[in-house]
Amino acid sequence: MKYVINPQYHLRGWYKSPTGLFDTRKKEAFFFSKEHYLLLLRCNGVHEIDESTLTEANLRFLEDLKKKDIIREASFLDYLLPEQEYRTYPARYRKHVHWSITGACNLRCRHCFMSAPHAKHGTPSREQLLKVVDQLAECGVFTVGITGGEPLIREDFFEILDALAKHRIGVSILYTNGWLVDEALLDKLEERKMHPNFQLSFDGVGWHDFLRGVPGAEEKTIQALKLLKERHYNVSVSMCIHRGNRDSLRETVRLMASLGVRSMKCGSMMELGEWADKEVKDLHLTRQEELELFEAYIPQYFEDDAPLSIMMADTLMYTPGDDQWRIYDVRRVTEEEGKKAPSCGVLLSNFYIGADGMVAPCMGMCDCGFAEHFPNLFETPLRDILHDSELTDLCTATVEDVRSHNPKCRECRFIDRCTGGCRNSVLMKADDYYGIDEDVCYFFENGWEERITRAAEEPFREYLKRNPPKKKNGGGPDAMQEEDPYL
């Protein structure tokens, strides 16, 4: 019998990951064992596969490929298309890049951690951005999230999108403040058959203008959200919480849900950039205040029938329809599992490119003291940065790397449920990449796992009575899987 791989799948390999199959619709690669990959390579419409000679494991693999519609029986002269043929990329596999195409912005946000009101990280030229696109394609990076500053202020915005499209690089999400989101923008996207997700910020009913520094920003954002709902775009929102707007959380979630927002992330500011200014720093919530706010809001969220997916920073995460919620900070990793388990699952597949060319594991690291360790692709080719480098070592840090670096971790009674916290949070306060996230320590040491659980249990049971679960995702407080904040 002859088989051939279906057209949406391309045979691809990356440095240290040579056995990949790239799904051109989902813009995602899957990797197989060498033995299975050799069998997959024979599914080219040319080679005969005698199933009677296959091992039981290879037979199951072949049947799985058929069931998933990855391969089909080959008809006469039914071969792989040229673009499906095997090729390799000179870099480690990265599924997604979070790319800042400008460091400038049309608003004056009081809390901007990258100081976009002053374009601290610069405004790259058209030629520089087009070269970045070429390098992404060379390295096999096929999805981008476009951000700024404010990306829509660039006059060459659609030229950049056209360059990405030429290389079949998908724009999965567009980060914008919403001021320039209008019918014309969406028309131009749809002319190009682009329909990205949008992420906007909304910083509290009656408070958005204050934080964004420009009168009318709240009205503009609401108009943008209404338009995106009308045009059937998936929209997520982030809310930066401070002493002024914390009492508006419930009202804000309700409003966002009514405007078609599907998911919302809320948490306090990073003490970097503009937010480090003495005039606004006093608005910052303490860790205790932030956790008390979420503890009080969790019952209200379920009383309101969980109107949208939510992530309350480091605490409760829930998607309507799931049969369990989970606590973000709780990740159960044994000592043996920690040798391979990533410190941050997101960093295994994502990375950030700044407007100044900086390549960092995460956008929030762009203005920290440790930033001098990050390479710059205007100086060093991306293929070298994503090969063997300090950056790739940082992105592949394991739980064991963090635990072995910190004696406190090895002696901690919560080691079975904590993985050392967020590398971004660590670098906001110190220049030790493998250091301890003290916010996570505070969470466990002060009984917040139990307090959040108590706050959620009974309201969640009552919520499920009114809204029986539609799916099961293996979530709940003990779940291991990390959510991707960009997708």
Short mmCIF file of all heavy atoms in Angstrom, two decimals, residues 335 343 397-415 418-423 426-427 430-438 440-441 445:
data_model
loop_
_atom_site.label_atom_id
_atom_site.label_comp_id
_atom_site.label_asym_id
_atom_site.label_seq_id
_atom_site.Cartn_x
_atom_site.Cartn_y
_atom_site.Cartn_z
N GLU A 335 10.48 15.82 42.42
CA GLU A 335 11.90 16.07 42.24
C GLU A 335 12.40 15.46 40.94
O GLU A 335 13.18 16.09 40.21
CB GLU A 335 12.68 15.49 43.42
CG GLU A 335 14.17 15.75 43.35
CD GLU A 335 14.91 15.25 44.58
OE1 GLU A 335 14.25 14.81 45.54
OE2 GLU A 335 16.16 15.29 44.56
N SER A 343 10.76 25.40 33.70
CA SER A 343 10.41 26.39 34.71
C SER A 343 9.22 27.22 34.25
O SER A 343 8.35 27.59 35.04
CB SER A 343 11.60 27.30 34.99
OG SER A 343 11.25 28.38 35.80
N ALA A 397 15.33 26.63 30.79
CA ALA A 397 15.58 26.39 32.21
C ALA A 397 14.52 25.46 32.78
O ALA A 397 13.34 25.57 32.47
CB ALA A 397 15.58 27.71 32.97
N THR A 398 14.96 24.53 33.61
CA THR A 398 14.04 23.56 34.21
C THR A 398 13.68 23.95 35.64
O THR A 398 14.32 24.82 36.25
CB THR A 398 14.66 22.17 34.22
OG1 THR A 398 15.81 22.19 35.09
CG2 THR A 398 15.07 21.73 32.82
N VAL A 399 12.68 23.27 36.17
CA VAL A 399 12.32 23.46 37.57
C VAL A 399 13.50 23.12 38.46
O VAL A 399 13.79 23.81 39.45
CB VAL A 399 11.09 22.59 37.91
CG1 VAL A 399 10.82 22.62 39.41
CG2 VAL A 399 9.87 23.05 37.13
N GLU A 400 14.23 22.07 38.10
CA GLU A 400 15.39 21.66 38.89
C GLU A 400 16.48 22.74 38.88
O GLU A 400 17.15 22.96 39.89
CB GLU A 400 15.96 20.36 38.34
CG GLU A 400 17.25 19.89 39.00
CD GLU A 400 17.10 19.65 40.50
OE1 GLU A 400 15.97 19.40 40.97
OE2 GLU A 400 18.12 19.74 41.21
N ASP A 401 16.63 23.45 37.75
CA ASP A 401 17.61 24.54 37.70
C ASP A 401 17.30 25.60 38.75
O ASP A 401 18.20 26.13 39.40
CB ASP A 401 17.61 25.19 36.31
CG ASP A 401 18.19 24.30 35.24
OD1 ASP A 401 19.03 23.43 35.56
OD2 ASP A 401 17.81 24.46 34.06
N VAL A 402 16.01 25.92 38.89
CA VAL A 402 15.61 26.93 39.87
C VAL A 402 15.77 26.40 41.28
O VAL A 402 16.32 27.07 42.17
CB VAL A 402 14.15 27.38 39.63
CG1 VAL A 402 13.70 28.35 40.71
CG2 VAL A 402 14.02 28.02 38.25
N ARG A 403 15.32 25.17 41.50
CA ARG A 403 15.39 24.59 42.86
C ARG A 403 16.83 24.42 43.32
O ARG A 403 17.16 24.72 44.48
CB ARG A 403 14.66 23.25 42.88
CG ARG A 403 13.15 23.37 42.77
CD ARG A 403 12.49 22.01 42.70
NE ARG A 403 11.02 22.10 42.72
CZ ARG A 403 10.20 21.08 42.53
NH1 ARG A 403 10.70 19.88 42.29
NH2 ARG A 403 8.90 21.25 42.56
N SER A 404 17.70 23.94 42.44
CA SER A 404 19.09 23.70 42.85
C SER A 404 19.85 25.00 43.07
O SER A 404 20.82 25.04 43.82
CB SER A 404 19.80 22.86 41.78
OG SER A 404 19.86 23.55 40.55
N HIS A 405 19.37 26.09 42.46
CA HIS A 405 20.02 27.40 42.60
C HIS A 405 19.68 28.06 43.93
O HIS A 405 20.40 28.95 44.39
CB HIS A 405 19.58 28.29 41.45
CG HIS A 405 20.24 29.63 41.40
ND1 HIS A 405 21.54 29.82 40.97
CD2 HIS A 405 19.78 30.87 41.73
CE1 HIS A 405 21.86 31.09 41.03
NE2 HIS A 405 20.81 31.76 41.49
N ASN A 406 18.60 27.63 44.56
CA ASN A 406 18.09 28.31 45.74
C ASN A 406 17.93 27.35 46.91
O ASN A 406 17.00 26.53 46.93
CB ASN A 406 16.73 28.95 45.43
CG ASN A 406 16.80 29.96 44.30
OD1 ASN A 406 17.31 31.05 44.46
ND2 ASN A 406 16.31 29.58 43.13
N PRO A 407 18.82 27.41 47.90
CA PRO A 407 18.70 26.52 49.07
C PRO A 407 17.32 26.59 49.72
O PRO A 407 16.81 25.58 50.21
CB PRO A 407 19.79 27.05 50.01
CG PRO A 407 20.79 27.69 49.11
CD PRO A 407 19.99 28.29 47.98
N LYS A 408 16.71 27.76 49.71
CA LYS A 408 15.39 27.91 50.32
C LYS A 408 14.38 26.98 49.66
O LYS A 408 13.52 26.41 50.33
CB LYS A 408 14.92 29.36 50.20
CG LYS A 408 13.53 29.61 50.78
CD LYS A 408 13.10 31.06 50.63
CE LYS A 408 11.68 31.25 51.17
NZ LYS A 408 11.22 32.66 51.04
N CYS A 409 14.49 26.81 48.35
CA CYS A 409 13.55 25.93 47.64
C CYS A 409 13.69 24.49 48.10
O CYS A 409 12.69 23.79 48.32
CB CYS A 409 13.79 26.01 46.13
SG CYS A 409 13.31 27.56 45.36
N ARG A 410 14.92 24.03 48.24
CA ARG A 410 15.15 22.63 48.58
C ARG A 410 14.65 22.30 49.98
O ARG A 410 14.32 21.15 50.28
CB ARG A 410 16.64 22.30 48.45
CG ARG A 410 17.17 22.45 47.03
CD ARG A 410 18.54 21.80 46.87
NE ARG A 410 19.56 22.44 47.70
CZ ARG A 410 20.26 23.50 47.33
NH1 ARG A 410 20.03 24.06 46.14
NH2 ARG A 410 21.18 24.01 48.12
N GLU A 411 14.61 23.30 50.82
CA GLU A 411 14.17 23.09 52.20
C GLU A 411 12.70 23.43 52.42
O GLU A 411 12.16 23.23 53.51
CB GLU A 411 15.03 23.93 53.14
CG GLU A 411 16.52 23.59 53.07
CD GLU A 411 17.38 24.62 53.78
OE1 GLU A 411 16.79 25.58 54.34
OE2 GLU A 411 18.62 24.48 53.76
N CYS A 412 12.03 23.94 51.38
CA CYS A 412 10.67 24.46 51.53
C CYS A 412 9.64 23.33 51.60
O CYS A 412 9.69 22.38 50.81
CB CYS A 412 10.35 25.39 50.36
SG CYS A 412 8.70 26.12 50.46
N ARG A 413 8.69 23.45 52.51
CA ARG A 413 7.67 22.42 52.64
C ARG A 413 6.65 22.46 51.50
O ARG A 413 5.82 21.56 51.36
CB ARG A 413 6.96 22.54 53.98
CG ARG A 413 6.09 23.80 54.16
CD ARG A 413 5.54 23.85 55.58
NE ARG A 413 4.59 24.91 55.81
CZ ARG A 413 4.91 26.17 56.10
NH1 ARG A 413 6.19 26.52 56.16
NH2 ARG A 413 3.98 27.08 56.33
N PHE A 414 6.71 23.50 50.68
CA PHE A 414 5.78 23.61 49.55
C PHE A 414 6.43 23.20 48.22
O PHE A 414 5.87 23.44 47.15
CB PHE A 414 5.26 25.04 49.43
CG PHE A 414 4.58 25.54 50.67
CD1 PHE A 414 5.20 26.48 51.50
CD2 PHE A 414 3.33 25.04 51.04
CE1 PHE A 414 4.57 26.93 52.65
CE2 PHE A 414 2.70 25.50 52.19
CZ PHE A 414 3.32 26.45 53.00
N ILE A 415 7.58 22.56 48.29
CA ILE A 415 8.32 22.24 47.07
C ILE A 415 7.54 21.32 46.14
O ILE A 415 7.72 21.34 44.92
CB ILE A 415 9.69 21.62 47.41
CG1 ILE A 415 10.59 21.59 46.17
CG2 ILE A 415 9.53 20.21 48.01
CD1 ILE A 415 12.02 21.21 46.46
N CYS A 418 5.20 23.91 44.05
CA CYS A 418 5.72 25.19 43.55
C CYS A 418 6.92 24.93 42.65
O CYS A 418 7.74 24.06 42.93
CB CYS A 418 6.13 26.07 44.73
SG CYS A 418 7.04 27.55 44.24
N THR A 419 7.02 25.69 41.59
CA THR A 419 8.14 25.53 40.65
C THR A 419 9.06 26.75 40.62
O THR A 419 9.81 26.94 39.68
CB THR A 419 7.60 25.26 39.24
OG1 THR A 419 6.77 26.35 38.83
CG2 THR A 419 6.82 23.96 39.18
N GLY A 420 8.97 27.56 41.65
CA GLY A 420 9.88 28.69 41.74
C GLY A 420 9.32 29.99 41.21
O GLY A 420 9.95 31.04 41.30
N GLY A 421 8.12 29.93 40.60
CA GLY A 421 7.47 31.16 40.16
C GLY A 421 7.86 31.60 38.77
O GLY A 421 8.41 30.85 37.97
N CYS A 422 7.57 32.86 38.48
CA CYS A 422 7.72 33.45 37.15
C CYS A 422 9.08 34.12 37.02
O CYS A 422 9.46 34.95 37.86
CB CYS A 422 6.59 34.46 36.93
SG CYS A 422 6.75 35.44 35.44
N ARG A 423 9.83 33.79 35.93
CA ARG A 423 11.15 34.42 35.72
C ARG A 423 11.01 35.92 35.51
O ARG A 423 11.88 36.70 35.91
CB ARG A 423 11.84 33.80 34.51
CG ARG A 423 12.14 32.30 34.57
CD ARG A 423 12.96 31.91 35.78
NE ARG A 423 12.12 31.57 36.92
CZ ARG A 423 12.50 31.61 38.18
NH1 ARG A 423 13.70 32.05 38.48
NH2 ARG A 423 11.68 31.25 39.15
N VAL A 426 10.67 37.56 38.88
CA VAL A 426 11.96 37.55 39.56
C VAL A 426 12.83 38.71 39.10
O VAL A 426 13.43 39.43 39.91
CB VAL A 426 12.69 36.20 39.31
CG1 VAL A 426 14.13 36.27 39.80
CG2 VAL A 426 11.94 35.06 40.00
N LEU A 427 12.89 38.92 37.78
CA LEU A 427 13.78 39.95 37.23
C LEU A 427 13.28 41.37 37.46
O LEU A 427 14.03 42.32 37.26
CB LEU A 427 13.99 39.70 35.74
CG LEU A 427 14.76 38.42 35.40
CD1 LEU A 427 14.91 38.27 33.89
CD2 LEU A 427 16.13 38.42 36.06
N ALA A 430 15.20 41.67 40.99
CA ALA A 430 16.61 41.33 41.12
C ALA A 430 17.15 40.92 39.76
O ALA A 430 16.39 40.68 38.83
CB ALA A 430 16.80 40.21 42.15
N ASP A 431 18.46 40.81 39.65
CA ASP A 431 19.08 40.46 38.38
C ASP A 431 19.47 38.99 38.32
O ASP A 431 20.31 38.60 37.51
CB ASP A 431 20.32 41.33 38.14
CG ASP A 431 19.96 42.80 37.91
OD1 ASP A 431 18.77 43.06 37.63
OD2 ASP A 431 20.85 43.65 38.03
N ASP A 432 18.87 38.17 39.17
CA ASP A 432 19.19 36.74 39.22
C ASP A 432 18.09 35.96 38.49
O ASP A 432 17.01 35.75 39.04
CB ASP A 432 19.28 36.30 40.68
CG ASP A 432 19.68 34.84 40.83
OD1 ASP A 432 19.88 34.16 39.81
OD2 ASP A 432 19.77 34.37 41.98
N TYR A 433 18.37 35.54 37.26
CA TYR A 433 17.35 34.88 36.44
C TYR A 433 16.79 33.63 37.12
O TYR A 433 15.60 33.32 37.00
CB TYR A 433 17.94 34.52 35.08
CG TYR A 433 16.94 33.95 34.10
CD1 TYR A 433 16.19 34.79 33.28
CD2 TYR A 433 16.73 32.58 34.00
CE1 TYR A 433 15.26 34.28 32.38
CE2 TYR A 433 15.80 32.06 33.10
CZ TYR A 433 15.08 32.91 32.30
OH TYR A 433 14.16 32.39 31.42
N TYR A 434 17.63 32.91 37.83
CA TYR A 434 17.21 31.66 38.46
C TYR A 434 16.77 31.86 39.91
O TYR A 434 16.62 30.89 40.66
CB TYR A 434 18.35 30.63 38.40
CG TYR A 434 18.70 30.23 36.99
CD1 TYR A 434 19.74 30.85 36.31
CD2 TYR A 434 17.98 29.25 36.33
CE1 TYR A 434 20.06 30.49 35.01
CE2 TYR A 434 18.30 28.87 35.03
CZ TYR A 434 19.34 29.50 34.38
OH TYR A 434 19.64 29.15 33.09
N GLY A 435 16.55 33.10 40.29
CA GLY A 435 16.16 33.39 41.66
C GLY A 435 14.74 32.98 41.99
O GLY A 435 13.99 32.45 41.16
N ILE A 436 14.36 33.26 43.21
CA ILE A 436 13.03 32.89 43.72
C ILE A 436 12.05 34.03 43.46
O ILE A 436 12.38 35.20 43.63
CB ILE A 436 13.10 32.61 45.23
CG1 ILE A 436 13.98 31.39 45.51
CG2 ILE A 436 11.71 32.38 45.80
CD1 ILE A 436 14.23 31.16 46.99
N ASP A 437 10.85 33.66 43.07
CA ASP A 437 9.77 34.64 42.95
C ASP A 437 9.15 34.80 44.33
O ASP A 437 8.37 33.95 44.78
CB ASP A 437 8.74 34.12 41.93
CG ASP A 437 7.61 35.10 41.68
OD1 ASP A 437 7.49 36.08 42.44
OD2 ASP A 437 6.83 34.89 40.73
N GLU A 438 9.50 35.86 45.00
CA GLU A 438 9.05 36.06 46.38
C GLU A 438 7.53 36.20 46.48
O GLU A 438 6.95 35.91 47.53
CB GLU A 438 9.74 37.29 46.99
CG GLU A 438 11.26 37.15 47.15
CD GLU A 438 11.66 36.10 48.17
OE1 GLU A 438 10.79 35.65 48.95
OE2 GLU A 438 12.84 35.71 48.18
N VAL A 440 5.41 34.36 44.94
CA VAL A 440 4.91 32.98 45.05
C VAL A 440 5.20 32.43 46.44
O VAL A 440 4.36 31.74 47.03
CB VAL A 440 5.53 32.10 43.95
CG1 VAL A 440 5.09 30.64 44.13
CG2 VAL A 440 5.11 32.59 42.57
N CYS A 441 6.37 32.74 46.97
CA CYS A 441 6.67 32.34 48.35
C CYS A 441 5.62 32.90 49.30
O CYS A 441 5.11 32.19 50.18
CB CYS A 441 8.06 32.83 48.76
SG CYS A 441 9.43 32.07 47.87
N GLU A 445 3.38 30.61 51.74
CA GLU A 445 3.75 30.71 53.15
C GLU A 445 2.66 31.34 54.00
O GLU A 445 2.61 31.12 55.22
CB GLU A 445 5.04 31.52 53.29
CG GLU A 445 6.26 30.78 52.75
CD GLU A 445 7.49 31.68 52.66
OE1 GLU A 445 7.35 32.89 52.96
OE2 GLU A 445 8.57 31.18 52.30
#
